[in-house]
Amino acid sequence: MPVVSPKIEASSPHVMNTYGRLPIALSHGQGCRVWDVNGNCYLDALGGIAVNTLGHNHAKLVPALQDQISKIIHSCNYYHIPNQEALAKKLVELSGMTNVFFCSTGLEANEAALKLARKFGHDKGIERPEIVVYEKAFHGRSIATLSATGNPKIQAGFGPLVEGFVRVPINNIEALKVATANNPNVVAVFFEAIQGEGGVNPMHLDYLRELRALCDQRDWLMMIDEVQCGMGRTGKWFAHQWAGIVPDVMPLAKGLGSGVPVGAVVAGLKAADIFQPGSHGTTFGGNPLAMRAGVETIRIMEEDGLLENAARVGAHLNQGLARALAAELASGAVREIRGQGLMIGVELAKPCGTLVQQCADNGLLISVTADTVIRLVPPLIMSEAEADEVIQILCPLIRQLLQTP
Ligand SMILES: *Cc1c(COP(=O)(O)O)cnc(C)c1O
């Protein structure tokens, strides 16, 4: 049943106009469903952009956060925060790495990673360290992270960009070798295991293994931005684990706090001691509410088997989409369905931004990235029945779009 678009002002007079927003204001949610202020219900296949790991109003998360809020929300890093150690210990166990720095967002985690790489270089006498980054990458909107980002639209108007980046195409080890040949200033490679904003582009597992070997050989830090693809979304804790490798530096955020802003940089032995007192810091990073959200999110994911669920429901969704769009895949109108677990991209042969509103009008929340790629990153609690519903709403709208000239 199509829902009627609610009347919400197209723009807010006092909020900076940084997003092309839909005329929808969400009021509350339950599981994978959300309701807007006018009472329309939506199936949530976006999860606040891969953030709402546990969906909405989770029966185990909400009381834990309420308990935390009533005790202490923020203290600051002048004191010990016991749940920092608890969450760090957990992340270290899950990743096979050794130490964690906490912050609040993805770009902050990536800034910390970039600083780690530069200091790693300086500590070994490289005065102008350079970092390998990738075409179509997205790492955030600060000056340094937008410089590392491989999207000219995001960079336009904000120059001069931060220097010290070497850009290469994904999944091409020869191109990387050529771009870094005779360059003793390279200290790190920095990339998403599956590019999110760039259109759900996975790094091939072979490429990841070759890259790991090259980083070891040349003493580079392997820094994997798992802000979007990490925290169980692909069916393993971290997407690079499908390749059986361990990075040296791994920024996290988005799904880590299931909606509470939490960021982290996890470091292995090679990077664990680069920062010393005074090297880096942030006021909100690792605060008691954020840490409780991280600890409880992981605990609940383990208790409820959400990695297994993400893998199973993700495969079901992927295969269901492929079946429903078989003719369009055969004709090339749908170029590819790709991704892993509950991080799925459906690439069309034409721009499809208009689908976002059409899906919402039909009770489904999705996003479109890189103009032509429908991105599905739902909560990891999604059921197969809900995945079927995504297919039932989405595929007819895709077909309709493909048929309009
Ligand atoms: C979203 C995202 C970021 C930026 O995170 P913010 O919390 O918006 O700063 C960085 N890297 C990747 C891969 C992302 O998907």
Side-chain angles (χ1 to χ4, degrees):
M1 260 281 282
V3 294
V4 180
S5 274
K7 294 266 174 297
I8 302 286
E9 292 301 320
S11 64
S12 313
H14 300 106
V15 177
M16 279 196 199
N17 188 21
T18 52
Y19 284 90
R21 297 176 200 267
L22 300 188
I24 294 171
L26 299 179
S27 112
H28 61 284
Q30 182 65 50
C32 286
R33 301 203 186 259
V34 285
W35 284 263
D36 69 22
V37 293
N38 292 339
N40 298 302
C41 180
Y42 306 85
L43 181 58
D44 186 3
L46 181 58
I49 320 182
V51 167
N52 295 306
T53 306
L54 303 176
H56 304 274
N57 194 28
H58 193 282
K60 293 178 184 170
L61 180 66
V62 171
L65 294 182
Q66 281 167 338
D67 170 69
Q68 187 60 50
I69 286 169
S70 69
K71 285 180 176 152
I72 187 163
I73 295 173
H74 178 79
S75 56
C76 87
N77 287 300
Y78 292 174
Y79 313 106
H80 282 275
I81 297 170
N83 268 336
Q84 281 190 8
E85 182 53 29
L87 183 54
K89 183 164 180 285
K90 200 73 217 181
L91 289 172
V92 158
E93 267 169 36
L94 300 176
S95 64
M97 298 165 79
T98 63
N99 292 80
V100 185
F101 171 84
F102 289 108
C103 52
S104 310
T105 68
L107 83 77
E108 270 185 285
N110 286 335
E111 283 278 343
L114 296 172
K115 281 181 69 175
L116 278 172
R118 284 199 168 181
K119 182 107 185 344
F120 174 73
H122 283 275
D123 287 350
K124 56 178 182 174
I126 297 173
E127 275 174 28
R128 302 188 65 79
E130 294 180 34
I131 300 168
V132 174
V133 292
Y134 287 77
E135 291 171 2
K136 299 187 191 169
F138 180 80
H139 297 298
R141 304 286 196 145
S142 66
I143 296 289
T145 57
L146 77 81
S147 301
T149 289
N151 181 341
K153 276 192 217 159
I154 286 173
Q155 297 171 334
F158 298 106
L161 299 181
V162 171
E163 57 186 320
F165 294 108
V166 178
R167 196 169 303 281
V168 297
I170 66 169
N171 293 323
N172 185 337
I173 203 83
E174 283 316 312
L176 172 63
K177 285 180 180 165
V178 169
T180 57
N182 308 317
N183 184 346
N185 291 331
V186 174
V187 292
V189 287
F190 181 43
F191 60 92
E192 302 151 82
I194 303 176
Q195 293 182 333
E197 304 304 307
V200 190
N201 308 311
M203 294 284 187
H204 298 157
L205 301 185
D206 283 347
Y207 180 79
L208 290 176
R209 293 185 198 109
E210 285 178 309
L211 200 49
R212 178 67 271 181
L214 198 65
C215 287
D216 291 339
Q217 198 187 325
R218 305 206 180 167
D219 194 32
W220 296 341
L221 293 178
M222 181 184 227
M223 310 204 300
I224 308 187
D225 179 349
E226 291 257 0
V227 167
Q228 187 163 155
C229 57
M231 292 314 299
R233 178 154 297 284
T234 65
K236 291 200 187 277
W237 282 103
F238 309 109
H240 67 262
Q241 290 176 330
W242 289 99
I245 57 160
V246 182
D248 301 304
V249 177
M250 176 174 67
L252 297 172
K254 291 204 165 89
L256 178 54
S258 206
V260 177
V262 193
V265 187
V266 188
L269 280 178
K270 219 164 141 182
D273 298 324
I274 295 173
F275 283 166
Q276 291 298 317
S279 297
H280 198 53
T282 167
T283 303
F284 285 117
N287 92 6
L289 177 61
M291 293 300 96
R292 185 71 183 268
V295 166
E296 298 290 346
T297 296
I298 294 179
R299 185 180 63 79
I300 295 164
M301 288 177 72
E302 287 182 326
E303 263 180 31
D304 294 0
L306 293 188
L307 260 56
E308 191 274 332
N309 193 70
R312 185 173 47 81
V313 177
H316 181 85
L317 180 53
N318 201 316
Q319 287 155 18
L321 287 165
R323 252 195 313 275
L325 297 169
E328 290 76 13
L329 278 161
S331 75
V334 173
R335 285 216 178 111
E336 195 180 19
I337 300 171
R338 55 183 180 250
Q340 180 93 45
L342 285 172
M343 181 168 184
I344 296 178
V346 180
E347 184 177 356
L348 306 191
K350 66 195 262 193
C352 57
T354 53
L355 278 177
V356 175
Q357 178 70 59
Q358 285 169 4
C359 283
D361 291 341
N362 286 274
L364 174 67
L365 302 184
I366 60 153
S367 76
V368 165
T369 66
D371 288 337
T372 56
V373 183
I374 298 156
R375 171 178 49 177
L376 305 174
V377 283
L380 306 190
I381 58 167
M382 182 168 264
S383 68
E384 288 186 1
E386 286 165 334
D388 288 337
E389 227 180 298
V390 172
I391 297 166
Q392 278 154 25
I393 299 173
L394 179 60
C395 291
L397 295 171
I398 292 177
R399 243 172 257 125
Q400 193 186 321
L401 175 84
L402 291 172
Q403 277 156 18
T404 43

